[in-house]
Amino acid sequence: MKKKLNYRKALVVLLLFITQSVSAQHVTLSNNLLYDAMLTPNLNIGYAPDSTTHWSYGFTAGFACWPSGNFTKRKLRHLLLSPEVRYWTDSLKVGHFFGANFIYSHFNAGYTNLLLYKGVKDERRQGDLIALGVFYGYSWQLGHRWTMEAQVGAAVGYAWYDRFDLDEHGDYWLSLGSGKSAFVLPQLGLNFVYHFSAFSKKPDTSKSYGILKSSDIERK
């Protein structure tokens, strides 16, 4: 009986500890509207051990799965995975921040003039890329749990891929060999962010500096 009580007490203490640690953490979900404009649904999960630290960590995933036809000539399909770290100069939610990220992408792109897929105007390339990037951004408060972020940066990376061209009848892909290339990739973001922990109310600093409010004067 005593052993059962001890187990229950230990379980209660453990649950209280987990609840306290989770409540002290800062977690966000965000969406990059510029990626959406490029038909790439995406989601970023942000995390910080507590709301007082200047450091936060995040992970972005994006996936463009169209066009889906195997013999569709123009393609922009890709999977994007990107962990990141940020340093906030003031607080975790608003103000300036600087960051660095690692980028991995598996892509299948061809016959497009987009800058991000330079070199695939007259062929299709399917392969992988990795890159290291840095960025700067600023965050504005929109509500108790919402912020908007704008960020800009660049990444330097390396890609390896197989090259293809569609035969004249459009029945099958002709192999053009393989290739490798280094590249510089611009990074732009307009992020709509939800914070699981609400913004705290601004502290009343008037008393700490000995400033009298009009209501205090009337009482006197």
Side-chain angles (χ1 to χ4, degrees):
M1 187 67 179
K2 288 183 178 180
K3 286 185 178 180
K4 288 184 178 180
L5 288 174
N6 288 335
Y7 287 145
R8 288 178 182 175
K9 287 180 180 179
L11 182 60
V12 170
V13 171
L14 180 61
L15 289 174
L16 289 173
F17 175 77
I18 292 174
T19 304
Q20 171 119 11
S21 15
V22 169
S23 63
Q25 295 170 1
H26 186 77
V27 180
T28 63
L29 284 178
S30 63
N31 174 253
N32 189 334
L33 301 179
L34 298 185
Y35 284 177
D36 292 337
M38 294 182 63
L39 302 180
T40 304
N42 63 94
L43 187 68
N44 175 282
I45 300 177
Y47 166 82
D50 60 73
S51 59
T52 61
T53 181
H54 287 274
W55 294 93
S56 67
Y57 312 91
F59 186 86
T60 298
F63 182 51
C65 56
W66 41 74
S68 57
N70 289 332
F71 295 103
T72 303
K73 197 169 185 180
R74 187 173 184 270
K75 290 183 179 292
L76 289 171
R77 303 179 67 181
H78 64 272
L79 169 69
L80 171 71
L81 301 174
S82 179
E84 67 176 36
V85 59
R86 294 183 179 185
Y87 177 80
W88 298 77
T89 58
D90 298 316
S91 71
L92 282 175
K93 300 177 180 179
V94 293
H96 304 272
F97 60 86
F98 299 88
N101 60 339
F102 172 80
I103 301 169
Y104 166 77
S105 178
H106 178 75
F107 60 89
N108 185 0
Y111 301 96
T112 176
N113 292 319
L114 286 179
L115 177 62
L116 296 180
Y117 297 99
K118 186 178 180 181
V120 296
K121 181 180 178 181
D122 300 314
E123 64 182 63
R124 178 173 71 87
R125 294 181 180 180
Q126 182 172 354
D128 303 271
L129 67 84
I130 55 174
L132 290 174
V134 292
F135 56 86
Y136 159 78
Y138 192 88
S139 175
W140 295 269
Q141 180 180 348
L142 300 181
H144 290 298
R145 294 180 181 270
W146 297 95
T147 56
M148 179 67 75
E149 298 174 351
Q151 67 182 72
V152 61
V156 177
Y158 183 77
W160 59 99
Y161 44 82
D162 294 319
R163 302 169 57 226
F164 301 93
D165 188 16
L166 200 60
D167 78 303
E168 60 181 6
H169 301 293
D171 295 329
Y172 57 90
W173 290 100
L174 302 171
S175 175
L176 301 178
S178 59
K180 300 176 182 179
S181 59
F183 60 88
V184 177
L185 184 71
Q187 295 194 91
L188 297 173
L190 186 62
N191 308 319
F192 196 47
V193 189
Y194 176 78
H195 300 258
F196 284 92
S197 55
F199 283 82
S200 57
K201 293 182 179 180
K202 292 183 179 180
D204 184 3
T205 57
S206 59
K207 292 184 179 179
S208 62
Y209 289 97
I211 302 173
L212 291 176
K213 294 181 179 179
S214 58
S215 57
D216 296 332
I217 296 174
E218 288 176 2
R219 285 196 212 102
K220 293 184 179 181

